[in-house]
Amino acid sequence: MTMDRKSADLLAPGLFQAVQQAWGRKPKLLIVDDQPVNIQALYQIFASDCQVFMATSGEQALQLCQERQPDLVLLDVQMPGMDGYEVCRRIQADARLREIPVIFVTAHTDAQQETHGLGLGAVDFIAKPFTPAVVRARVRTHLTLKCQSDALRELAFLDGLTGVHNRRFFDERFQAEFQRARRNGRSLALMMVDVDYFKRFNDEYGHLAGDDCLRRVAECLRNLLRRPPDLMCRFGGEEFACVLPETELDGAVQVADRMIATVQTLAIPHKHAAQGGVVSVSIGLAACFPALGGSPEKLLAKADEQLYAAKAAGRARVSATAC
Ligand code: GH3
Ligand code: MG
C-alpha cells in the first residue's frame, strides 16, 4: 500500500504522546456502532495509539462507560433499540460519566441533527463516510481537551499548601464512601488528626516555619495510608481528616498509633510541645457500620468528640469509639 507524506505523518506512532504522558497510559476510546464493519474501520485508525473498547448497542455502550470509564466515545446515532442520542443523554445525566466527551459519527449530518446532538452535550460531529485523517485529528483535539480538564479538576481538589486533597474533595468522597459502606455492609472509620499546640508553634517560630511543619506532617500522614481506597485531606487549618473504608475500630486504632509515633519521629522541634519537645498530633477516631444506621454527619461529630477527648487527656494520643 502506498501512502502520501501527510497521511504517513498522521499514522506515525506516538500521535497521542502528550496525552499519554500526562495520564501515564494510553487513552481509552469507546467505539459504538451497530455495524461491525464500521467499528472495524475506526478500530484500525486507533488500535496502535489507544486502548479501544467496542460496543454494538446503546445498552452495551453505557455498561462499558461504567466499567471502563473511557476518555472519549465515538458514537453512532442510528442504532436499533437505544439510539445514540439517548446514550448521550444518559451519559450526561450520570455524574460519574458526564465528563466523558462524546463525538457523534453519523451519515445524517444536517444542521438540525447537529444542533440536536450538540444540545445533548456532544462535543463534535463526524460525517460518514469519514476520512481517517480527519477522525484522528478531531479525536486528538478532544482527547487533549479532556486531558487538560482532568488536570484542572484534579487541581481544584488539592490543597495549595500541602498538596494533599482539600476539604471539597473530602466532602464529596466521604459521602460517597459512607453510601458505599452502607451498601456493602462494611465498617467505615474516620480520623480527625490535629497538630498539638500549633498556635504556640507559630508564635514561637513564625508562620513560614508553621507552613513548613504542616507540609511535613501532611506528607508523613499520607505516606502511612497505603491502601488504595484510603483517603486523607486537609480539613482546615492544622487539622487533617482520614477516611478508612472497610476498616474496623481495632485496625484504625493501629493506624492512628502509627501516625502519632511517626509524626514524633519527624523530630520537628517545638518548645511548647505536649511531649518530648517535638511536634505531635492528637487523633479522634470513630468507626461504624453504616448499614446499621447513622449518617456521615454523625460519624464526623463522633470523631470530633473523640478529638476533644484526646486533647483533654493530655494530647499526643488517640481517643476512639465505635458507634
Ligand atoms: P490544640 O493543641 O488544642 O489543637 O491547640 P492549637 O494551638 O493547635 O489549636 P488552635 O486551634 O488554638 O490554633 C491553631 C492554629 O493553627 C491557629 C492558626 O494560626 C494556625 N494555622 C491554621 N492554618 C495555618 C496555616 O495554614 N499555616 C500556619 N502557619 N498556621 C496555621
Ligand atoms: Mg491544634
Side-chain angles (χ1 to χ4, degrees), residues 194-199 238-239 311 315:
D194 188 282
V195 181
D196 295 324
Y197 295 129
F198 194 57
K199 186 172 179 334
E238 21 76 88
E239 193 168 6
K311 294 277 182 190
R315 295 176 171 79

Side-chain angles (χ1 to χ4, degrees), residues 250-272:
D250 288 358
V253 168
Q254 283 179 27
V255 176
D257 282 338
R258 214 179 311 138
M259 284 179 169
I260 290 163
T262 313
V263 167
Q264 274 169 323
T265 63
L266 291 176
I268 304 169
H270 188 348
K271 212 168 150 186
H272 314 284

Side-chain angles (χ1 to χ4, degrees), residues 24-42:
R25 57 168 172 79
K26 285 185 174 183
K28 292 183 278 181
L29 183 66
L30 172 62
I31 300 172
V32 189
D33 201 304
D34 61 313
Q35 303 288 330
V37 59
N38 290 338
I39 293 191
Q40 189 59 26
L42 287 167

Side-chain angles (χ1 to χ4, degrees), residues 88-318:
C88 185
R89 192 176 300 131
R90 292 196 191 191
I91 287 176
Q92 286 299 313
D94 187 326
R96 267 171 45 88
L97 306 182
R98 81 169 54 112
E99 312 299 340
I100 305 172
V102 170
I103 300 180
F104 281 119
V105 185
T106 173
H108 307 278
T109 45
D110 59 52
Q112 203 184 352
Q113 298 243 16
E114 276 198 40
T115 313
H116 182 59
L118 294 170
L120 290 175
V123 295
D124 210 347
F125 261 82
I126 293 173
K128 279 192 219 170
F130 49 77
T131 312
V134 172
V135 180
R136 279 176 155 261
R138 293 214 167 143
V139 166
R140 177 169 47 180
T141 299
H142 288 294
L143 280 176
T144 305
L145 289 171
K146 164 76 163 42
C147 186
Q148 288 166 345
S149 64
D150 276 5
L152 284 175
R153 229 185 338 272
E154 176 67 12
L155 216 55
F157 283 123
L158 292 183
D159 171 51
L161 177 71
T162 59
V164 301
H165 282 114
N166 60 17
R167 176 68 178 272
R168 192 185 320 175
F169 187 79
F170 172 84
D171 288 342
E172 279 196 13
R173 282 290 305 279
F174 181 46
Q175 293 280 340
E177 287 300 340
F178 196 92
Q179 302 313 334
R180 199 158 70 91
R182 188 191 316 241
R183 281 196 303 274
N184 64 23
R186 307 295 291 268
S187 174
L188 182 70
L190 173 67
M191 276 187 227
M192 303 305 291
V193 184
D194 188 282
V195 181
D196 295 324
Y197 295 129
F198 194 57
K199 186 172 179 334
R200 297 183 191 172
F201 184 94
N202 272 321
D203 293 346
E204 182 72 31
Y205 305 101
H207 256 79
L208 290 181
D211 287 353
D212 196 45
C213 171
L214 286 181
R215 275 191 216 102
R216 292 181 65 191
V217 169
E219 192 191 351
C220 171
L221 298 177
R222 182 170 56 183
N223 289 340
L224 288 168
L225 290 180
R226 289 193 216 98
R227 288 168 48 202
D230 291 347
L231 145 73
M232 178 229 162
C233 77
R234 187 171 178 207
F235 193 74
E238 21 76 88
E239 193 168 6
F240 300 92
C242 303
V243 182
L244 308 183
E246 298 178 19
T247 309
E248 297 189 19
L249 192 67
D250 288 358
V253 168
Q254 283 179 27
V255 176
D257 282 338
R258 214 179 311 138
M259 284 179 169
I260 290 163
T262 313
V263 167
Q264 274 169 323
T265 63
L266 291 176
I268 304 169
H270 188 348
K271 212 168 150 186
H272 314 284
Q275 268 181 25
V278 295
V279 166
S280 62
V281 292
S282 297
I283 300 183
L285 166 56
C288 72
F289 285 89
L292 302 178
S295 67
E297 293 72 26
K298 280 189 188 144
L299 186 59
L300 188 58
K302 285 283 175 196
D304 240 1
E305 262 174 42
Q306 294 302 309
L307 177 60
Y308 279 101
K311 294 277 182 190
R315 295 176 171 79
R317 70 196 61 212
V318 56

